[in-house]
């Protein structure tokens, strides 16, 4: 049997040790709690703190800022191991792979020294609010404004579908500081939510999958943030900053999609080998064998491209188009593979107690967020 979890070409000895410790941690501390998180629709803060204790929250942030000091390989390992455990409640990707890296890239050294250590320990949970009711794919249409008033900005508007939004202590808010300038008027402001007057959270939105991950509406009514919380210090840089960070976000989604697809194949091989029909195993029948051969071929071929993308990203050489290709390809593959895997589970595949059912439902959104797959095609096509 082909080992889908063999050592990656981009994985150093240190990274491999991190993976082993993380796998044990997730099996002991996360897997038994996933059911509870799905029922309550959020992950307990106590778990965030435990994940901070083992260095899983900011794995690729320098140690000076409380992180684990690894490269993107460490980030990818977190995404892969969560995928292999079928865990979708705990959104480290937003907190560590995305928000922490905006701060690392654009905050002042003093701000990094305050914010990042709190995020590394799990004392603070991070979120990023770009999407609005009227602006998703077309981000430059966002209507949330930030008006300069003395040494503050005053934010007015709303955000929707914000992951970790119900609990977040720090939120990067995409605002327009100059609505007359479209994309060039967009700026990113960091909101510390504790005691922020005028800031409120709406519903924890009900979803068709990813039930343990909280997804919030956020409202801003004359919310003041200090002017120094403008990321990068100059107005109008927000759009370019988002474009700069989105490739890592998309690669992070692709990493999870790849691992979850591989895990789907592993689970289904085991299930069909065990399940008896007409006097033999399902896996003895040619049609299921060929379906699984196709699934295995898909994930194996995709793995080669993913390993190449991850290695290039570690070297700082991954293009926006290739990150979009990775996100597009792996999430489309994930939908195809998990659908086929669910089918091979028969009626049990439709029962939530079976991991394949949960993975199938959790998969659907992967083609929509972090930039819908149609937008990924636009980004790829810009290279023509
Ligand atoms: C569970 C979940 C978590 C999320 N987490 C976050 C978060 O943490 N932070 C955040 O800011 N956002 C988050 N989002 C929002 C997500 O990024 C957006 O939903 C996504 O970008 C699509 O925007 P939209 O929903 O407004 O759809 P729309 O932009 O209205 O798109 C609708 C359809 O039209 C298509 N379309 C749009 N423009 C084009 C085009 N030019 N060419 C071809 N087709 C096009 C789209 O591909 C899509 O199929 C989350 C969403 C979900 C569901």
């Amino acid at each position: 049997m082909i080992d889908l979890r063999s050592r990656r070409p981009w994985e150093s000895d240190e990274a491999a040790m991190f993976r082993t410790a993380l796998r044990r941690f997730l099996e002991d501390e996360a897997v038994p709690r996933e059911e509870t998180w799905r029922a309550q629709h959020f992950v307990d803060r106590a778990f965030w703190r435990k994940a901070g204790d083992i260095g899983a929250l900011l794995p690729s942030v320098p140690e000076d800022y409380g992180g684990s000091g690894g490269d993107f390989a460490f980030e990818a390992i977190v995404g892969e191991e969560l995928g292999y455990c079928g865990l979708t409640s705990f959104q480290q990707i937003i907190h560590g792979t995305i928000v922490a890296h905006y701060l690392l890239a654009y905050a002042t050294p003093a701000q990094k020294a305050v914010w990042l250590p709190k995020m590394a320990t799990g004392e603070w949970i991070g979120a990023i609010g770009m999407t609005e009711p009227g602006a998703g794919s077309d981000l430059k249409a966002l209507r949330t404004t930030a008006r300069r008033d003395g040494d503050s900005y005053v934010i007015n508007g709303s955000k929707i579908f914000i992951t970790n939004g119900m609990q977040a202590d720090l939120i990067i808010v995409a605002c327009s500081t100059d609505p007359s300038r479209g994309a060039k008027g967009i700026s990113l402001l960091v909101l510390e939510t504790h005691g922020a007057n005028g800031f409120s959270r709406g519903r924890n939105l009900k979803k068709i999958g990813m039930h343990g991950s909280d997804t919030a509406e956020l409202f801003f009514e004359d919310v003041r943030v200090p002017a120094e919380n403008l990321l990068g210090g100059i107005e109008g840089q927000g759009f370019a900053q988002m474009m700069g960070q989105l490739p890592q976000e998309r690669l992070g989604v692709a990493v999870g999609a790849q691992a979850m697809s591989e895990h789907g194949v592993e689970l289904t091989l085991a299930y069909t080998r065990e399940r008896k029909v007409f006097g033999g195993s399902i896996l003895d029948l040619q049609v299921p064998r060929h379906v699984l051969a196709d699934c295995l071929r898909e994930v194996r071929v995709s793995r080669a491209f993913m390993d190449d993308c991850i290695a290039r990203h570690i070297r700082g050489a991954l293009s926006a188009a290739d990150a979009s290709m990775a996100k597009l390809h792996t999430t489309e593959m994930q939908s195809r593979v998990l659908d086929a895997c669910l089918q091979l589970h028969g009626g049990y595949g439709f029962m939530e107690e079976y991991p394949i059912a949960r993975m199938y439902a959790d998969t659907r959104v992967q083609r929509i967020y972090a930039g819908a797959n149609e937008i990924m095609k636009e980004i790829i096509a810009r290279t023509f």
Side-chain angles (χ1 to χ4, degrees), residues 94 127-139 160-164 207 210 213 215 249 365 368-375 378:
I94 296 283
I128 181 159
M130 299 182 265
T131 308
E132 299 185 359
S137 305
D138 186 11
L139 268 182
I160 195 163
F161 306 145
I162 306 308
T163 303
N164 294 344
K207 307 187 289 297
M210 304 241 310
S213 152
T215 307
E249 172 171 350
V365 73
I368 297 169
Y369 59 20
N373 281 5
E374 292 73 20
I375 302 300
E378 280 298 305

Side-chain angles (χ1 to χ4, degrees), residues 165-177:
M166 295 306 291
Q167 299 206 75
D169 307 279
L170 179 149
I171 305 175
I172 299 176
V173 189
C175 306
S176 179
T177 40

